Amino acid sequence: MGVTEKRAKHKEAFRREILDSAREIFINDGYDGFSMRKLAEKIDYSPTTIYLYFRNKDDLLFAICEEFFAHFLAELNRIRSVSPDPVETLHQAFFYFINFGLKNPDQYKLIFFTKSVYGTREELFEKESMARNTYFVFKEIVQDCISAGKLREIEVDVIVDTLTVVSHGVVAKNIYCANFLKERSDRVAHTLIDVLWRGLQK
Amino acid sequence: MGVTEKRAKHKEAFRREILDSAREIFINDGYDGFSMRKLAEKIDYSPTTIYLYFRNKDDLLFAICEEFFAHFLAELNRIRSVSPDPVETLHQAFFYFINFGLKNPDQYKLIFFTKSVYGTREELFEKESMARNTYFVFKEIVQDCISAGKLREIEVDVIVDTLTVVSHGVVAKNIYCANFLKERSDRVAHTLIDVLWRGLQK
DNA sequence: ATTTGATATTAACAGTGTTAAGCTAACAGA
DNA sequence: TCTGTTAGCTTAACACTGTTAATATCAAAT
């Protein structure tokens, strides 16, 4: 292995180390609680060193979000391959997102409620990203249900939005009304899914 | 009118002026975009003067939130007095919140998605506030529907949470997925209410 | 041995929330 | 009228923030 290769590898490893430390701080302390100086101290380098590996604070956040969406995408594909029934697949996929949010509110908040990391709808669709891929796979799952005649004839995009809206809602409530859904968030989530399903079915 | 009274009145007027300017900045620039120095410049006083009228930045936000909730409460009571049918009242009340959020995303975000202004569920219930009053009136509206036998037999608190969850969801999606619901937010909101209603009815 | 280039650092700028101390002007009582 | 007090406001400062420019370090290549 050549020297330049070795260096490139070390650089990559260092980038990873920065990213992992950054994610920890972002999740624990939130977007505002995160600071470049805090991260620098954690990794034992000067604050400006970070700028050699990431453009700025938001670039760090973007990289972290992409890794999360890669994770979501993998899970959606797993569910899809395991469960052959489209309705069952949608149920599981939908519950996966809500459950992730309820179990990891800080992560969910960071990814979805911090900044418009991926810009407008158009900007999200324009350039390739894990977030974009995740969106399309989820849309396909919904489309499969429609194609199987299991849902009311509502535009697929409207249904997708409706579902993500509800997921965001459960988690937002859980995050911003401190302890509001405590001991009850699961019940509210299940009630909501139950109600939604009754309302969406043909 | 005595001198002390006059002074008190002036003080009150000044407080109002600060609050109005603060709300403008909070809404336009968001919680983070707001700064004491910005506000000071706007009202043409030094930053520290503000601290003679408000404990700190969050105290300003709290005062602004309370005024909003006073507004909500008045509107809920108005709807209630106008529409005698409990189901119609709930529909209107629910749509009022969603609509407020879609029409005034910055305000909604400031009030509901910025900080846990009113603390935990317990803390909200403990001390009297406009937010607390608003919550209870909305709960009463839901309870009226249940009492009239118009809803499935689900615990009233769960239904209230479910509805606020959906309201938060629509608005959150609208805010954080920039332009995501654009031109479609109304349709998604109506679809959601329609779906929810089908699912909630007996 | 010298040059080059990558990597890391120090110093600085402009901004943040908040506090402590001090100034000014108007009032009250003698 | 002089003095003491107090309300109202300001200046200065502290400890932070993200980010940039200039500089130092040090290993590899010539």
Side-chain angles (χ1 to χ4, degrees), chain A residues 32 112-113 116 119-121 124 135 152 154-155 157-158 161-162 164-165 169-170 172-173 176 178-181 184 187-188 191-192 194-196 198-201, chain B residues 32 112-113 116 119-121 124 135 152 154-155 157-158 161-162 164-165 169-170 172-173 176 178-181 184 187-188 191-192 194-196 198-201:
Chain A
D32 295 328
F112 294 109
F113 298 149
S116 197
T120 66
R121 186 187 184 85
L124 172 70
Y135 179 81
R152 286 166 64 191
I154 304 172
E155 227 181 301
D157 282 322
V158 174
D161 282 350
T162 301
T164 55
V165 149
V170 177
K173 184 86 181 171
Y176 293 105
N179 286 338
F180 220 86
L181 297 176
R184 217 161 71 244
R187 270 186 56 212
V188 171
T191 302
L192 202 38
D194 176 46
V195 166
L196 272 183
R198 277 179 75 142
L200 278 171
Q201 264 173 325
Chain B
D32 295 328
F112 294 109
F113 298 149
S116 199
T120 66
R121 187 188 182 83
L124 173 69
Y135 179 82
R152 287 167 63 191
I154 306 172
E155 226 180 302
D157 282 322
V158 174
D161 282 350
T162 301
T164 55
V165 150
V170 176
K173 184 87 180 167
Y176 293 105
N179 286 338
F180 221 85
L181 296 176
R184 217 161 71 244
R187 269 185 58 211
V188 171
T191 303
L192 201 38
D194 175 45
V195 167
L196 272 182
R198 277 178 75 140
L200 278 172
Q201 263 173 325

Side-chain angles (χ1 to χ4, degrees), chain B:
Chain B
M1 185 159 61
V3 176
T4 48
E5 267 183 85
K6 212 168 173 179
R7 269 230 279 260
K9 204 159 189 179
H10 172 266
K11 188 159 184 168
E12 189 49 46
F14 190 24
R15 212 187 115 99
R16 263 253 63 82
E17 193 194 325
I18 296 176
L19 212 53
D20 289 339
S21 295
R23 186 178 43 244
E24 248 180 74
I25 300 176
F26 263 126
I27 290 171
N28 286 331
D29 305 352
Y31 180 83
D32 295 328
F34 174 97
S35 92
M36 296 303 249
R37 286 171 176 81
K38 227 185 245 182
L39 173 57
E41 201 171 359
K42 196 178 172 77
I43 60 174
D44 235 51
Y45 282 82
S46 90
T48 48
T49 299
I50 302 161
Y51 287 88
L52 300 171
Y53 295 84
F54 296 92
R55 283 208 321 281
N56 51 33
K57 180 174 171 175
D58 285 345
D59 192 34
L60 272 162
L61 178 60
F62 178 82
I64 290 168
C65 284
E66 276 295 278
E67 293 195 342
F68 270 110
F69 277 109
H71 195 80
F72 294 156
L73 184 61
E75 184 59 19
L76 286 190
N77 282 326
R78 193 197 62 76
I79 291 171
R80 236 184 158 188
S81 68
V82 168
S83 142
D85 177 41
V87 171
E88 183 60 24
T89 302
L90 178 55
H91 261 97
Q92 283 187 26
F94 184 46
F95 195 73
Y96 170 71
F97 273 109
I98 292 186
N99 217 42
F100 175 86
L102 293 178
K103 293 252 157 66
N104 313 282
D106 296 330
Q107 277 93 320
Y108 199 97
K109 180 180 178 181
L110 184 68
I111 300 167
F112 294 109
F113 298 149
T114 297
K115 291 230 162 179
S116 199
V117 184
Y118 293 95
T120 66
R121 187 188 182 83
E122 290 75 27
E123 284 161 356
L124 173 69
F125 290 163
E126 264 167 27
K127 69 173 174 186
E128 128 91 21
S129 71
M130 284 299 162
R132 178 173 163 275
N133 296 339
T134 304
Y135 179 82
F136 282 131
V137 168
F138 187 75
K139 185 175 168 178
E140 273 176 41
I141 292 175
V142 173
Q143 184 58 60
D144 287 345
C145 288
I146 297 175
S147 302
K150 300 291 184 184
L151 289 176
R152 287 167 63 191
E153 264 131 35
I154 306 172
E155 226 180 302
V156 56
D157 282 322
V158 174
I159 295 184
V160 171
D161 282 350
T162 301
L163 293 177
T164 55
V165 150
V166 169
S167 175
H168 278 30
V170 176
V171 184
K173 184 87 180 167
N174 204 38
I175 291 172
Y176 293 105
C177 306
N179 286 338
F180 221 85
L181 296 176
K182 201 173 185 181
E183 313 263 333
R184 217 161 71 244
S185 57
D186 268 13
R187 269 185 58 211
V188 171
H190 276 107
T191 303
L192 201 38
I193 290 176
D194 175 45
V195 167
L196 272 182
W197 202 245
R198 277 178 75 140
L200 278 172
Q201 263 173 325
K202 254 191 174 157

